[in-house]
Each structure stands twice: as structure tokens, then as C-alpha cells.
């Protein structure tokens, strides 16, 4: 009763949404990815820095190169998913800040002149955006399979550069046969929430 979001949407985004381990062959189109991005780009980040960058791995040749860097248990599903995305944090996001945060364009120099400060902020805020992206995939009626089981340094060298830190690889598509493991329990309210 306290949630204003339509119950069907609550189920689609959370209660019935699962992490998929198998997928059908149905392609994920550019239009779907565009619609997902155009929705989740509004998720908040500090100073509106939006450091998430997304590399869509579409060609068979690139997919093969990526699979080699995945943990053994993640290889088959990464090879078979209709679409795979590499999510990374742009540690040079500050270059866009004056345009992205016009209310305080000096933020670029005041807070982010040091690389270490940028890496710290980019990691945190890109991770937030990765979560928005996963929920956006669900909003498109698709399932996500996020993975951190990979050789990140290998992924970075193969697909990115020194200014980008890979965060996770996400398989995307319609869930296939036996797509999920049994649902694991979640912590209950009283285990997580304290009030002071
Ligand atoms: C950041 C992140 C990294 C994950 N890495 C892996 C992985 O490397 N391999 C894997 O099989 N599952 C991975 N998972 C899947 C989680 O185990 C799964 O999302 C969680 O158990 C909840 O499953 P459910 O959505 O089906 O309830 C990852 C999930 C997240 C969000």
C-alpha cells in the first residue's frame, strides 16, 4: 500500500526479476539498448558526473576475445548471450563536468584535479549507474546476468584503456531454459535497518 509504483512494475523490476544464466536466441536490438539508456541516464550521481561507460560486445570476434577473460563458470553463458556489455568507470569524467554540472562548473578543479579522487568517485558513481542499468534492462522486459568473475586487467587491456576501469560484464537477453538458480534468501528489514 505504501508503494505508488504499479504492482506489476514492482514484480517486473524486483520481485519476479531474476539473474539469468541462460538466454534464448532472440536478439537484443540497438533500439532496446537506446531505450534502456535513455531511461536510466536520469539515475542520480554525485555532481551529475555520470562516469559509467558501456561497451556493447556484438561481433563474434570481440565476443571470443571477451570470453577468454571470463572465469570458467561464466564462459559458456557469456559466449551464448544475445548481447554482452562491459561496464566501466571513466576516470577522466571530470572533463565533462562543467557541461554536466553547470550549477558549479568549478567542481572539476576544486574536487577532481587529482586522479585518485577521480578514481574513487568514478568507481562509486559508475557502480550506482550499473545498478540503474540492470533495473533498466528489466524494465525492457529483458533479463540481466551481471558478472564480476573475470580477469579485469585482461578485459581492460583488451577493450578499454588506462583511463577506464572495468566494473562488471553483463549478459543481456530473454531468459532461456533453466535460466535461474533457486532464489536465495534476502536479509529482512530488521537485519538491515537501524534507526538512531
Ligand atoms: C556485481 C555482480 C557480480 C556478479 N558476478 C557473478 C559472476 O561472476 N558469476 C555468476 O554466475 N553470477 C554473478 N552474479 C549473480 C549473483 O549471484 C545474483 O545476481 C544473485 O545471487 C541474485 O540472484 P537472483 O537475481 O536470481 O535472485 C553477480 C551479480 C552481481 C550484481
Amino acid at each position: 500500500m505504501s508503494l505508488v509504483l504499479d504492482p506489476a512494475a514492482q514484480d517486473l523490476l524486483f520481485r519476479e526479476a531474476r539473474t539469468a544464466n541462460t538466454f534464448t536466441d532472440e536478439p537484443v536490438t540497438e533500439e532496446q539498448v537506446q531505450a534502456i539508456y535513455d531511461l536510466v541516464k536520469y539515475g542520480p550521481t554525485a555532481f551529475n558526473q555520470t562516469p559509467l561507460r558501456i561497451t556493447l560486445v556484438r561481433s563474434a570476434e570481440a565476443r571470443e576475445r571477451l570470453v577468454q577473460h571470463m572465469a570458467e563458470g561464466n564462459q559458456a553463458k557469456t559466449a551464448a548471450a544475445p548481447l554482452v556489455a562491459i561496464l566501466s568507470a571513466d576516470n577522466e569524467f571530470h572533463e565533462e563536468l562543467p557541461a554536466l554540472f553547470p550549477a558549479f562548473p568549478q567542481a572539476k578543479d576544486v574536487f577532481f584535479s587529482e586522479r585518485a579522487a577521480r578514481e574513487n568517485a568514478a568507481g562509486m558513481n559508475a557502480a550506482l549507474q550499473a545498478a540503474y542499468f540492470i533495473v533498466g534492462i528489466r524494465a525492457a522486459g529483458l533479463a540481466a546476468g551481471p558478472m564480476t568473475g573475470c580477469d579485469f586487467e585482461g578485459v581492460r587491456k583488451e577493450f578499454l584503456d588506462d583511463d577506464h576501469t572495468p566494473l562488471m560484464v553483463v549478459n543481456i537477453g530473454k531468459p532461456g531454459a533453466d535460466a535461474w538458480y533457486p532464489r536465495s534468501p534476502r536479509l529482512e528489514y530488521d537485519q538491515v535497518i537501524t534507526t538512531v
Side-chain angles (χ1 to χ4, degrees):
M1 293 296 280
S2 299
L3 301 178
V4 298
L5 188 69
D6 175 68
Q10 296 173 26
D11 288 343
L12 180 74
L13 299 181
F14 292 102
R15 277 188 218 96
E16 289 175 10
R18 300 295 314 279
T19 299
N21 295 292
T22 71
F23 298 90
T24 70
D25 291 338
E26 190 176 320
V28 176
T29 65
E30 285 304 302
E31 290 71 23
Q32 286 172 300
V33 179
Q34 178 93 50
I36 292 165
Y37 181 70
D38 284 340
L39 179 67
V40 304
K41 70 185 178 186
Y42 292 108
T45 54
F47 291 107
N48 196 34
Q49 64 192 248
T50 54
L52 179 71
R53 302 293 178 264
I54 301 173
T55 307
L56 298 178
V57 182
R58 283 212 179 271
S59 75
E61 167 272 326
R63 185 75 66 96
E64 209 166 287
R65 284 195 284 133
L66 175 61
V67 166
Q68 287 172 13
H69 296 287
M70 301 306 294
E72 205 180 326
N74 289 333
Q75 288 188 349
K77 56 190 172 189
T78 305
L83 179 62
V84 183
I86 300 167
L87 307 193
S88 63
D90 183 358
N91 298 307
E92 300 299 293
F93 68 85
H94 65 312
E95 298 297 349
E96 317 285 345
L97 258 197
L100 288 173
F101 200 65
F104 184 48
Q106 305 90 316
K108 173 185 174 186
D109 301 314
V110 174
F111 295 108
F112 300 116
S113 59
E114 302 287 331
R115 170 78 176 213
R118 295 200 297 275
E119 284 183 8
N120 192 30
M124 151 85 158
N125 287 281
L128 280 174
Q129 289 189 280
Y132 308 145
F133 184 64
I134 290 168
V135 175
I137 289 167
R138 294 168 168 189
L142 300 168
M147 296 168 292
T148 47
C150 64
D151 167 13
F152 279 119
E153 191 50 22
V155 170
R156 193 187 62 73
K157 285 200 180 114
E158 194 83 49
F159 295 98
L160 305 169
D161 58 33
D162 285 342
D163 291 336
H164 293 80
T165 304
L167 296 175
M168 71 185 74
V169 176
V170 185
N171 293 329
I172 306 168
K174 286 265 167 68
D178 299 321
W180 2 97
Y181 304 130
R183 184 70 126 175
S184 298
R186 299 306 201 255
L187 296 177
E188 295 304 331
Y189 182 94
D190 289 345
Q191 296 173 279
V192 174
I193 312 286
T194 49
T195 303
V196 294

